[in-house]
Amino acid sequence: VVDILIIIPSSIDKYTRHEVPPLGPLYIAATLKKYGYSVEIIDLCAQKISREEFIVLVSEKKPKIVAISSLINIHNNAIRIAKIIKNIFNDVPIIFGGAHASAIPNEVLKEEVVDIISLFESELTLVELADYYIRKTGNDLKDIKGIAYKNNGQVIFTDKRQRVSDLDTMPFPARELVDMKLYTEAGSIITGRGCIYKCKFCAANYLSEGTYRTRSIPNIIEEIRILIDEYDVKDIFILDDTFILDEGRIAEFCESIEKENFNITWSCTSRINPPPSSDILKIMKNAGCRKISFGVESGDNEVLKKVNKGTNVDQVREIIKMTHDIGIALTCFFIIGFPYDTRESIEKTIAFSKELRAIGSKEKPVYTTFSLFTPLPGTVFYNEMDKYKIKLLKDNWDYYNFNDPVIETEHLSKEMLRNYMLRTMSK
Ligand code: B12
């Protein structure tokens, strides 16, 4: 018997990501454990098990609460799983959480099998829900902040929950609950949460409500030490929305990494703006940074401006060259099919990606990765599809894999988008 069972569904694509441990759910699990609850996790992205095996597993665990992770491409499977669970234990409350459920709670609650949605940051919300359902102490549902639930067919939203102001007070992700050997990027960490920028295609600002909080450097170092000592990690993968924002903080991080003599390499993601200085890039290189992934998005200045990226092509070129010259490998992410994209702008984007790849060398390559523009719940483009003349072709979340077109725009048909995508894949 387990108090809370957390399930991460897989997508229907045969390539589901299992590189990275599910950090959000592992954070929630750690906090529940701290408050004395027993927690288990089934990560279907990583553990390949059949429907029958799954049913046996869940039946044996007899959970008192089931919490299911909902991201866009795994949401339909999350619903399928919820149905299987309700079939086994009709009385077990099913709580949904994660980016997709948080972005469109009203829609998700229309599903009969979803009882409650825990909105946005959920560590403390889940503790209060466990107190309510399991220990039968604490607040009534209506007084638990940050949830949406059904009452006599009506959706009730409780008061907003304040985000935890000091991230250092949070226990580290409960990695002991998953088989860390299943993840190729086992050294993944989050050193800060949230994004203050407002790109129209990205949900990060909405999900963090524009807040940005960071952990202290000693707290991060402690977690890295655990990854090295207990999980034999040799490469750290920093997954923050915005890592290089406060250069003083990054310098302090690098200094600590060097002082500890960890002998690890690491990589991170970054924005092109605010532009990282050459000084900080050198400090990062000396502290073992082997790769930075930048969101470049487009090779057309007009498109960059209109999607609110706040960068331009010259700036991108300069940062990519500088990072390469300092000796750090690169990945550049691109998106094609924005509502503003035309044949001309996409040609520019593809040409620009070639130009950036050519900056790379054998030892320090510049990789490029393309996704098709997809209106994500929680973004400006999703909320105002008519205004941006976005024509939805598929409203089945199973198909939202960022490689197949799910929309057409004023300028681009499905066939054109598919052909462009094929071109970027053949390079
Ligand atoms: C790191 C990251 C990844 C990593 C790691 C994902 C992982 N396994 O954890 C990788 C690169 C693998 C990845 C992949 C994808 N990602 Co991603 N990713 C992120 C990113 C940048 C940070 C997530 C994170 O770890 N944050 C820190 C933790 C602590 O916060 P959190 O995950 O939000 O979790 C908190 C709450 O959301 C909530 N919560 C989360 N899960 C659950 C589950 C339950 C049951 C409950 C109750 C609550 C809950 O509580 C958590 C703790 O407070 C976010 C952007 C963002 N700001 O959220 C995008 C983001 C979540 N990803 C997104 C997408 C679309 C994807 C992909 C579908 C992309 C693709 N091309 O395939 C895949 C799907 C992967 C999968 N099947 O799970 C979108 C989701 C949009 C949406 N509406 O669903 C986001 C918001 C990015 C964006 N720009 O819009 N991603």
Side-chain angles (χ1 to χ4, degrees), residues 41-314:
I41 295 200
I42 301 177
D43 181 356
L44 294 168
C45 284
Q47 299 162 253
K48 297 289 170 204
I49 57 175
S50 69
R51 174 190 286 256
E52 290 70 27
E53 287 165 327
F54 178 76
I55 291 173
V56 171
L57 199 62
V58 175
S59 308
E60 284 170 0
K61 292 195 191 302
K62 295 194 176 58
K64 295 175 186 153
I65 295 177
V66 172
I68 307 180
S69 159
S70 158
L71 291 179
I72 191 161
N73 64 334
I74 60 176
H75 179 73
N76 281 355
N77 274 348
I79 297 294
R80 293 180 186 113
I81 285 165
K83 285 179 181 160
I84 293 176
I85 307 247
K86 284 281 187 194
N87 226 344
I88 315 175
F89 310 105
N90 191 33
D91 293 338
V92 171
I94 295 195
I95 302 167
F96 269 46
H100 191 71
S102 297
I104 46 169
N106 277 308
E107 206 177 311
V108 172
L109 278 172
K110 281 188 192 134
E111 297 283 351
E112 210 186 308
V113 287
V114 182
D115 296 311
I116 295 186
I117 293 176
S118 173
L119 303 158
F120 308 110
E121 190 167 276
S122 294
E123 282 87 344
L124 297 175
T125 313
L126 265 278
V127 171
E128 287 190 37
L129 285 167
D131 290 345
Y132 172 78
Y133 281 114
I134 299 173
R135 293 199 182 132
K136 318 261 185 229
T137 58
N139 281 328
D140 216 2
L141 276 189
K142 68 176 188 346
D143 299 315
I144 297 178
K145 290 188 173 146
I147 62 170
Y149 65 101
K150 281 176 288 201
N151 192 351
N152 293 326
Q154 248 201 322
V155 173
I156 316 259
F157 282 83
T158 60
D159 289 346
K160 265 179 137 178
R161 176 174 293 273
Q162 286 304 103
R163 280 159 203 265
V164 173
S165 55
D166 181 0
L167 290 179
D168 284 6
T169 60
M170 284 209 186
F172 299 146
R175 297 184 172 87
E176 69 279 6
L177 296 180
V178 292
D179 180 355
M180 286 285 279
K181 287 196 257 350
L182 294 177
Y183 305 95
T184 49
E185 303 281 2
S188 298
I189 58 166
I190 305 270
T191 80
R193 293 185 184 182
C195 182
I196 55 172
Y197 295 91
K198 291 187 172 164
C199 304
K200 288 184 190 168
F201 55 86
C202 179
N205 185 284
Y206 175 78
L207 293 172
S208 59
E209 294 165 296
T211 58
Y212 178 63
R213 293 158 299 161
T214 55
R215 296 166 53 193
S216 74
I217 303 304
N219 182 262
I220 301 164
I221 295 293
E222 208 184 312
E223 187 179 349
I224 294 179
R225 195 191 311 283
I226 293 174
L227 284 168
I228 295 170
D229 291 350
E230 288 173 25
Y231 300 103
D232 203 20
V233 157
K234 296 184 171 57
D235 189 37
I236 299 291
F237 186 27
I238 299 170
L239 288 168
D240 301 19
D241 286 329
T242 37
F243 181 60
I244 314 179
L245 204 56
D246 171 357
E247 293 198 357
R249 176 174 177 267
I250 306 304
E252 192 192 334
F253 171 75
C254 293
E255 204 180 297
S256 297
I257 291 272
E258 287 192 84
K259 217 166 50 212
E260 295 290 339
N261 260 322
F262 278 151
N263 203 14
I264 48 163
T265 54
W266 55 280
S267 60
C268 65
T269 52
S270 175
R271 291 176 51 87
I272 293 287
N273 74 333
S277 67
S278 66
D279 286 348
I280 198 67
L281 290 171
K282 279 178 203 150
I283 291 172
M284 288 165 66
K285 164 75 188 163
N286 289 336
C289 177
R290 63 173 180 87
K291 190 171 104 169
I292 304 179
S293 302
F294 283 104
V296 175
E297 327 304 0
S298 176
D300 183 274
N301 282 336
E302 204 54 27
V303 171
L304 286 170
K305 191 169 155 204
K306 286 183 175 159
V307 300
N308 232 357
K309 189 75 191 176
T311 55
N312 62 55
V313 172
D314 290 338

